[in-house]
Amino acid sequence: MRNSILACVLGAVMSLYGRSALAQTSTTTSTATTAPPSSTTTAPPSTTTTTIPGSCCGPATCGMVINVDASNNGKTLFLAASDPILSAPCSGNGITVINKGRNAVNQSFTIDCQTNQSNPITGGPTGIGIMLKGVNLSVFNCYVDGFGTGMASNGDGSDIEDSQVQNASGDGFYVKSRVKITNLNIIGVTFTGNGAFSNGGWGFNMPANEIFSGTGTTFNNIADTNGKGGFYVKGDGNALSGNEAFNNGGPGFLIISKSCCSGSSGQSFDTATASSNVGPGIVYEARDDGSNCVGGSGPSCTGGTFYPTGFDTTPGGINAADNGPCPPGSLPFQNGNGVCPIVLRAPCSQAVLNRCP
């Protein structure tokens, strides 16, 4: 009886391994036909990423370049723990995704590192950890340690969420999009749940228009102990909510918007916390479109002051403590704690505002 039971168990094990080998052959034929027999059970499990619906392009390697086209449009590169890019530091760039050309606006691609916090993509003091070039490109759940710039994006419609960069020699995140807010086809940038820690430049360097960074009382993006400052955001129509900046070497936040049309395109800044920054906690520079009257009444804000468009003056909406002093020209608003709203240029005329989209 014991022998018959043992025979049944062995048969089940053989059947299991046979199915595993068959599945491996169907996903990566070259691995199954060239690897020695002993490696079939120890081969890197990166081939399992190809079994995830919509996945492609792995395993991920240092210097990898993915050009988006009809063959991989809408798909995702899922990183696996055994991917070579996670096993040793990259000497140059990490992963680059390019989506350009006439059909780029109809294409998309995503990198999902599946929360590789315990085993980040690492690199030396040059290069870029993850680079997105073009429109409609996304990064989720990715952790990068080192490089010259941790993550960089240059294109409208980018989406970076739940990711972290630390110890870059330059900026942690660099996000650029120069599609103007007057362009009716603008998509905007989604940027939420990210962290920038101990980078040499800005934690978040973002010359872009129509950035959406989350809403509510949760702190969506955090910049801590970055050399130049926490957040540098220069552009129009940016909605920045629920962000934190601590212990940075410059300003916690430096927000600049020069367009009179920013307000009608969603420009706002609220639910922020800044403390213990060497520079001012928050410097917010924008135009006066007549929409942000504090302490006054009527179209001319009689008895009060017009603050820059989109700046939240609600008590408790912005919290700051132990920051550097405000620059000249700042309006009074928690100046002792380094909160510094600044109105740029002359008030916007009605004729200009009438031409806003």
Side-chain angles (χ1 to χ4, degrees), residues 10-36:
L10 290 174
V13 171
M14 292 299 293
S15 176
L16 176 63
Y17 274 87
R19 286 194 298 271
S20 175
L22 179 61
Q24 189 176 36
T25 302
S26 65
T27 54
T28 310
T29 302
S30 59
T31 301
T33 55
T34 59

Side-chain angles (χ1 to χ4, degrees), residues 149-176:
T149 300
M151 295 189 196
S153 172
N154 188 352
D156 189 28
S158 61
D159 186 351
I160 301 175
E161 301 184 39
D162 301 318
S163 296
Q164 177 178 305
V165 174
Q166 62 187 22
N167 301 320
S169 61
D171 297 327
F173 293 81
Y174 179 80
V175 179
K176 182 178 181 180

